[in-house]
Amino acid sequence: MGKTNELVALEAKAQAIADRMALELVDVCVDRENTGKYLRFYIDREEGVTLDDCEAFHKAVRDLTDAVDYDFMEVSSPGIDRPLTKDRDFERNVGTEIEIRLYRPIDGVKVLTGVLAGLEAGKILLDTGEGRMMIPRKSAALVKPIVDMDGIEDVDLDENDTDT
């Protein structure tokens, strides 16, 4: 399902606000959940976004949202495993290990992993152990970086406990 005209118009206005605030507007969407409809803005910047950034952006766009039907509004970061959706996302992640989830299997495989080599003529260039693959971008349901949690030390929450 595509975006409504009202959501497209809101996204354009929100983009102008994001530009003024030196933020990247990653996406605007309305998601239906059991508790209602959520209008979600995903913002980012190279050094990451703070809670203060989310709050300031929320305040800046709140008066522009009247034309969109929603129950709750959220502003957040897309996270470290942010999906690659725009050309600039692919450009930024060349050399990164990625996962591609396909709408339909290719050679019996529905999830591919490898190193993103680029984007060329509507195809995702993926370097795998077997060589380079060219995946039509329109065949990809989801493309996201693989987050390597190895090397991140476990935090001992009891270590800093001052109540003992």
Side-chain angles (χ1 to χ4, degrees):
M1 182 170 132
K3 293 184 179 184
T4 64
N5 291 337
E6 294 82 10
L7 193 58
V8 170
L10 173 61
E11 187 170 15
K13 292 174 186 174
Q15 181 64 59
I17 291 171
D19 291 345
R20 283 196 303 272
M21 297 175 76
L23 295 166
E24 177 186 355
L25 181 63
V26 175
D27 196 14
V28 180
C29 59
V30 176
D31 297 318
R32 292 182 191 271
E33 296 185 9
N34 290 339
T35 53
K37 290 187 220 167
Y38 287 78
L39 172 59
R40 292 191 167 113
F41 294 87
Y42 294 97
I43 59 172
D44 206 358
R45 71 171 78 210
E46 194 168 319
E47 63 275 11
V49 293
T50 66
L51 187 56
D52 289 339
D53 293 328
C54 292
E55 180 182 12
F57 188 80
H58 185 283
K59 288 177 180 177
V61 297
R62 131 178 94 204
D63 291 338
L64 305 175
T65 62
D66 291 341
V68 177
D69 181 28
Y70 69 95
D71 300 307
F72 306 99
M73 185 170 91
E74 295 178 349
V75 176
S76 68
S77 162
I80 60 173
D81 63 344
R82 159 188 173 172
L84 310 182
T85 57
K86 299 177 180 170
D87 287 354
R88 68 177 177 252
D89 298 331
F90 285 90
E91 291 165 9
R92 243 193 319 242
N93 283 280
V94 168
T96 301
E97 189 174 12
I98 63 168
E99 173 182 291
I100 302 175
R101 294 184 182 262
L102 302 168
Y103 287 111
R104 292 189 177 86
I106 295 177
D107 296 328
V109 179
K110 201 162 179 188
V111 178
L112 303 166
T113 59
V115 175
L116 177 62
L119 193 61
E120 185 178 292
K123 296 185 190 239
I124 302 166
L125 306 179
L126 185 69
D127 289 336
T128 69
E130 290 82 43
R132 178 161 290 175
M133 297 179 72
M134 297 178 74
I135 311 299
R137 190 169 173 182
K138 64 183 180 183
S139 297
L142 176 69
V143 180
K144 65 179 187 169
I146 295 175
V147 179
D148 182 8
M149 299 303 280
D150 291 340
I152 295 178
E153 297 180 27
D154 290 332
V155 175
D156 183 1
L157 297 177
D158 293 331
E159 183 178 298
N160 295 319
D161 190 354
T162 58
D163 293 337
T164 55

